[in-house]
């Protein structure tokens, strides 16, 4: 049987009646925060590429680490949801440029690319 000859029931993909209302609400919040973080990380990467603002990656790394520790140390409650979401988006903004595709190029080539030293015997 060919994989592409299957009949797929697309209505089953959008039927969530078997999931409780509270779980559906929780999943909405989880995926909304995930989408927000991806957007903010993309903005942080864009800001890094355009302005080279994050040349000091040590400071942004320490800032991201500090926000991560602060986020994990803050207890979850209805009162702290907005504060925790702010910490999460700040973490996403600072870690967006950490992706290797968005890293600025090295100022000098790595040692493996350097030409071999000339020896007196080859002259």
């Amino acid at each position: 049987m060919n994989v592409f000859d299957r009949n797929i029931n697309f209505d089953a993909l959008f039927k969530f009646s078997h999931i409780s209302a509270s779980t559906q609400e929780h999943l909405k919040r989880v995926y909304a925060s995930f989408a927000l973080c991806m957007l903010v990380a993309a903005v942080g990467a864009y800001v890094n590429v355009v302005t080279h603002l994050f040349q000091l990656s040590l400071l942004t790394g320490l800032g991201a680490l500090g926000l991560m520790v602060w986020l994990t140390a803050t207890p979850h409650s209805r009162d702290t949801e907005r504060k925790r979401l702010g910490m999460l988006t700040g973490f996403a903004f600072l870690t967006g440029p950490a992706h290797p595709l968005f890293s600025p190029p090295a100022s000098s080539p790595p040692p493996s690319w350097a030409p071999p030293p000339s020896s007196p015997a080859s002259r």
Side-chain angles (χ1 to χ4, degrees):
M1 177 178 188
N2 191 353
V3 175
F4 299 109
D5 290 338
R6 294 183 187 180
N7 290 331
I8 298 174
N9 185 5
F10 287 105
D11 293 331
L13 291 175
F14 300 106
K15 189 165 82 172
F16 300 108
S17 61
H18 64 284
I19 300 175
S20 69
S22 63
T23 304
Q24 288 179 15
E25 185 63 32
H26 174 72
L27 289 174
K28 282 182 195 176
R29 289 176 181 247
V30 166
Y31 286 115
S33 62
F34 178 71
L36 177 67
C37 285
M38 291 300 104
L39 179 70
V40 170
V43 168
Y46 177 77
V47 167
N48 179 39
V49 168
V50 170
T51 63
H52 300 291
L53 183 66
F54 300 124
Q55 289 287 335
L56 301 172
S57 61
L58 176 66
L59 291 177
T60 58
L62 289 175
L65 181 66
L67 281 171
M68 184 175 57
V69 169
W70 188 19
L71 178 63
T72 56
T74 304
H76 175 69
S77 69
R78 286 274 185 206
D79 299 334
T80 60
E81 277 183 1
R82 288 184 157 257
K83 183 165 92 170
R84 287 173 53 92
L85 185 62
M87 288 183 263
L88 182 64
T89 55
F91 176 78
F93 182 79
L94 292 176
T95 56
H99 193 277
L101 290 176
F102 303 115
S103 299
S107 59
S108 61
S112 62
W113 291 0
S118 60
S119 63
S122 64
R123 290 186 194 163

